[in-house]
Amino acid sequence: MIRRSEMKTMRTVLLFVGATIYCLSINAQEGTTEPEENITPSILNPENIFSEERKMLRRLTSGDYPFRRGIFKNDIQIKSKQVRLESGKKISLVWGRPKRAKIAPAVFVIDVESASLSNQPSRRFFGRSKSRRAQKENEARYLLTSPFGSNLLGQGFVVAYAVAKDLASLRSARTSDWVEMFDEIRDQKEVDESSFFLMSTKEYANLSIYLASTYSFSGFILEEPHYMLFTRQTHKDVIEESKWLTSEQIWRRTDPSRREFYHKIFSNIYSPIIIIRAEDSPAYDFNEKTLLDSLRESNTYFETITLNQIPRRLMPLGDADGVLNTEPRVSYNPNSVSTWLEGMINYLKVNSDTMPTELQKRAIIY
C-alpha cells in the first residue's frame, strides 16, 4: 500500500518530468523557427514554413497583381534556343508562353536577375545538375520565380529573355545579335507582332535605350537608372547634390556633350515609354533634370510610375562605374514591386492590339 508521503513525492516527480518535457518541446520548436527569421518572402517555401509565414506569403502571392505569382505547369510552355553571337560566344534565348493562347502580346525582358537565377547551383544530386534537362530548368527559373517573369506570364503575355553562363558573354552581344533575338520571338506564330514590348531594369538602361532607338517596339518599359547614361563616369557627387542644382548646372558639372547625345537617342524612339521611378532613389532629382527633361525637349512621349520606395536592391555590384561584374542577388520591396506590376501590366494591355488571356490563379507558389 502506497503511503500518502510517497504519493506526494511521486506527484512532484511527475510534475517535474512533465514540465521538463514541455520546456524541451518549446525549445525544439524555437530551434526550428530560427532559420526562417532571416528569409525574405521572395524565397519562402510553402512546404517548410509555419502558419504566420504562410499567411504572409499568401498575401504577397494573391490578388490581381501579386508580388510573386504561382503558375500551373500545364498552363504554360517553355522553350529555349542556343544562339551563337558574332563574338563567337554562345547564349540561350528562353521564352515562355500560355499554352492555350493562339496569339498573345510579348515582352522581351532585359533583367540582370534572369542571368543570376539561371546560374544558381541546381538542387539535383549525383551529378545530374550538369544534364541538359537541369540546364533548361535553370534557364526557366526567371519565368517561375521572378516577380516580373511570373506575373507577366501569369497575365497571359509571352515572356522572353537571354541568359548566358556569365555576364561577360551576354555583354558581348552586339546590336545585330539582339535584333536577331527580337525577330526570333516576334516571328513566333503565337506572338502578335504588333504587340511586342521591351522591358529593362536599370542595370541595362544604356543598352535598352539604344536598342529601343534602333528597333520598332510597341512600347518600352524602363526602370530609371541610378547613374548618368552613355558615359563611364558616375558623377556621384553631382547626383547627390542635384536637388539643389538646376539642369544647366548639372550638365556643366558633368559632361555637356552628353546632353546632345541624350536628345539624339531619344528622338529616335517612337514607341511610348513608361519610366519606373522611386521617390527615395538617390538619383531621383538627377533624372528629373537630365533624363526626363531630355525626353520632354526631344518631344518623346513618355509616362511615369512613381513608387514610394526603391523596388529592387542588388548585391554585390561591380566597379564604381556602375557596370556589373558578377551575377548579383536581388532583394525586393514587395509593395513597390506590386505597384510597379499593376501600372506596367495596365500599360501593356492598353498598348496591345491583342488582349492577353490571364492564366488560372494560384495563391501559393510551388
Side-chain angles (χ1 to χ4, degrees):
M1 186 173 180
I2 301 176
R3 297 177 182 178
R4 183 176 297 177
S5 60
E6 292 175 339
M7 287 286 290
K8 187 176 181 180
T9 302
M10 186 178 297
R11 189 182 296 113
T12 302
V13 171
L14 289 173
L15 287 172
F16 176 78
V17 171
T20 302
I21 293 174
Y22 176 78
C23 291
L24 288 173
S25 66
I26 292 297
N27 289 336
Q29 291 176 6
E30 291 177 352
T32 57
T33 59
E34 186 174 299
E36 299 291 334
E37 291 177 357
N38 294 325
I39 295 179
T40 62
S42 63
I43 57 174
L44 281 175
N45 203 345
E47 287 79 12
N48 57 9
I49 60 176
F50 296 91
S51 58
E52 288 304 313
E53 286 85 355
R54 188 181 293 273
K55 291 177 183 177
M56 177 173 60
L57 182 59
R58 186 175 286 109
R59 287 197 300 271
L60 294 176
T61 58
S62 60
D64 291 336
Y65 301 99
F67 166 61
R68 201 176 151 196
R69 180 173 180 138
I71 297 174
F72 289 108
K73 292 181 179 179
N74 292 335
D75 287 344
I76 61 172
Q77 185 176 48
I78 300 175
K79 294 183 178 181
S80 66
K81 177 182 179 180
Q82 194 172 75
V83 177
R84 182 179 290 277
L85 305 176
E86 287 188 22
S87 63
K89 296 185 177 181
K90 295 180 180 178
I91 63 174
S92 292
L93 177 62
V94 185
W95 66 97
R97 68 173 183 87
K99 189 178 292 185
R100 296 179 183 177
K102 292 183 179 179
I103 190 167
V107 183
F108 198 105
V109 180
I110 304 180
D111 181 355
V112 71
E113 194 186 20
S114 61
S116 63
L117 286 172
S118 67
N119 288 323
Q120 286 182 11
S122 175
R123 296 179 181 179
R124 294 179 176 274
F125 302 100
F126 306 115
R128 292 179 61 193
S129 62
K130 296 181 180 180
S131 69
R132 177 60 180 160
R133 180 176 178 180
Q135 180 183 344
K136 283 182 174 290
E137 289 176 356
N138 285 346
E139 291 174 349
R141 278 181 177 174
Y142 184 80
L143 291 171
L144 302 177
T145 63
S146 161
F148 302 116
S150 64
N151 276 281
L152 287 171
L153 186 57
Q155 285 289 328
F157 293 88
V158 174
V159 182
Y161 53 92
V163 297
K165 292 182 179 180
D166 52 69
L167 289 179
S169 296
L170 202 56
R171 286 199 202 105
S172 70
R174 300 170 186 172
T175 303
S176 58
D177 295 318
W178 287 105
V179 168
E180 287 184 13
M181 288 188 282
F182 296 153
D183 286 341
E184 177 73 30
I185 300 302
R186 200 168 205 160
D187 291 342
Q188 295 294 313
K189 64 180 181 179
E190 300 87 4
V191 172
D192 178 3
E193 63 177 11
S194 62
S195 304
F196 186 60
F197 300 85
L198 177 66
M199 174 198 150
S200 172
T201 55
K202 61 188 178 184
E203 297 78 30
Y204 288 108
N206 281 325
L207 170 65
S208 61
I209 290 173
Y210 181 74
L211 292 174
S213 72
T214 59
Y215 193 89
S216 177
F217 292 99
S218 305
F220 175 34
I221 303 103
L222 174 68
E223 180 187 16
E224 68 173 355
H226 58 292
Y227 49 86
M228 189 171 191
L229 296 170
F230 316 125
T231 178
R232 294 188 65 85
Q233 300 297 320
T234 57
H235 302 290
K236 185 178 179 180
D237 56 335
V238 180
I239 291 175
E240 292 175 348
E241 299 173 11
S242 58
K243 185 175 182 179
W244 298 277
L245 300 174
T246 66
S247 178
E248 296 295 334
Q249 290 173 327
I250 290 174
W251 288 116
R252 283 201 302 268
R253 293 181 57 178
T254 53
D255 184 351
S257 66
R258 296 300 90 189
R259 187 175 194 173
E260 183 179 347
F261 200 71
Y262 268 57
H263 290 173
K264 180 180 178 181
I265 293 292
F266 291 133
S267 295
N268 289 325
I269 299 179
Y270 299 103
S271 59
I273 303 173
I274 193 162
I275 309 290
I276 311 299
R277 312 195 69 202
E279 290 180 349
D280 65 341
S281 168
Y284 184 82
D285 293 293
F286 179 80
N287 282 315
E288 179 69 35
K289 298 170 183 178
T290 55
L291 173 60
L292 270 63
D293 271 1
S294 295
L295 287 167
R296 296 185 187 103
E297 292 167 3
S298 60
N299 294 319
T300 304
Y301 179 80
F302 74 97
E303 302 173 35
T304 60
I305 296 175
T306 304
L307 313 174
N308 292 329
Q309 295 179 306
I310 294 175
R312 307 161 51 253
R313 295 189 185 277
L314 278 66
M315 288 295 294
L317 284 172
D319 298 336
D321 59 9
V323 177
L324 293 167
N325 284 336
T326 58
E327 290 86 359
R329 297 297 175 258
V330 184
S331 62
Y332 292 97
N333 179 318
N335 292 329
S336 292
V337 171
S338 292
T339 303
W340 176 345
L341 286 166
E342 180 179 3
M344 179 177 67
I345 291 172
N346 286 336
Y347 160 85
L348 291 169
K349 288 179 178 179
V350 167
N351 289 281
S352 293
D353 289 347
T354 299
M355 183 60 65
T357 303
E358 184 179 1
L359 302 181
Q360 183 179 358
K361 291 182 180 179
R362 187 174 184 179
I364 296 183
I365 57 174
Y366 59 86

